[in-house]
Amino acid sequence: FFLPMIEIEIAFVMKHALKGPGILPVDVIRATDFVLPAIEIVDFRIALEPGFNIIDTVADLAACGAVVLGANPRPLDVLDIRRVRGSILRDGKVEQEGEASAVLGNPVTAVAWLANKLGEFGVTFEPGHVILTGSFVRAFPVKAGDELVCRFDQGLGDIATSFF
């Protein structure tokens, strides 16, 4: 990684195909197998200079880096997805906290929006696809030597990762 940052997100794993237009949140709920806690590693390959804007982000492949998925799948009917709280701890200290409702009011809404938008281009979410819903905290810069734990409530658990 060049300039890594992390974000905490909810990952939806699809059970059934989902393709817009016309996808409603209830369609997302029906098509979802389970959700997982996730860490998105955002990475920039160009310097974040004054004046850096959305055009630069797109040119940088939307700052794609990697994703770390948790290992505790939870079906949507056993949690209140809007109220999932998460925090980022670096070296044991809480650095950021947030709630999943910061993502369009409900991460389910984010998946519906994305299915509808990508449906315009003929893209279908297929069974087994993993959909990231967006961060509910601001991107957090990390550096070599950082030991990170991302903690989620409602039984989703913790994800740990390190940067060397």
Side-chain angles (χ1 to χ4, degrees), residues 15-158:
K15 177 173 38 177
H16 303 295
L18 192 67
K19 182 179 181 184
I23 297 299
L24 300 172
V26 69
D27 301 315
V28 173
I29 292 167
R30 288 181 186 133
T32 299
D33 195 6
F34 54 86
V35 297
L36 294 167
I39 301 170
E40 181 178 2
I41 302 172
V42 178
D43 192 28
F44 296 93
R45 285 159 292 282
I46 58 177
L48 303 178
E49 307 267 336
F52 185 87
N53 61 35
I54 189 66
I55 295 169
D56 300 308
T57 300
V58 171
D60 192 33
L61 298 175
C64 290
V67 65
V68 180
L69 296 175
N72 191 20
R74 306 280 289 164
L76 284 173
D77 64 354
V78 301
L79 48 83
D80 181 350
I81 194 77
R82 298 164 301 160
R83 301 290 176 242
V84 170
R85 294 200 52 76
S87 55
I88 299 173
L89 292 82
R90 178 175 46 195
D91 302 323
K93 178 184 170 213
V94 174
E95 298 282 352
Q96 300 231 359
E97 295 180 293
E99 185 176 86
S101 63
V103 180
L104 296 179
N106 187 334
V108 172
T109 305
V111 176
W113 179 88
L114 187 59
N116 286 320
K117 180 50 76 178
L118 292 179
E120 295 174 15
F121 302 97
V123 176
T124 301
F125 296 158
E126 299 291 348
H129 279 179
V130 176
I131 313 302
L132 295 179
T133 56
S135 184
F136 45 98
V137 300
R138 73 182 189 282
F140 179 74
V142 294
K143 63 187 181 322
D146 282 348
E147 299 284 334
L148 299 152
V149 174
C150 294
R151 181 159 290 147
F152 297 78
D153 69 2
Q154 297 195 44
L156 286 166
D158 293 355

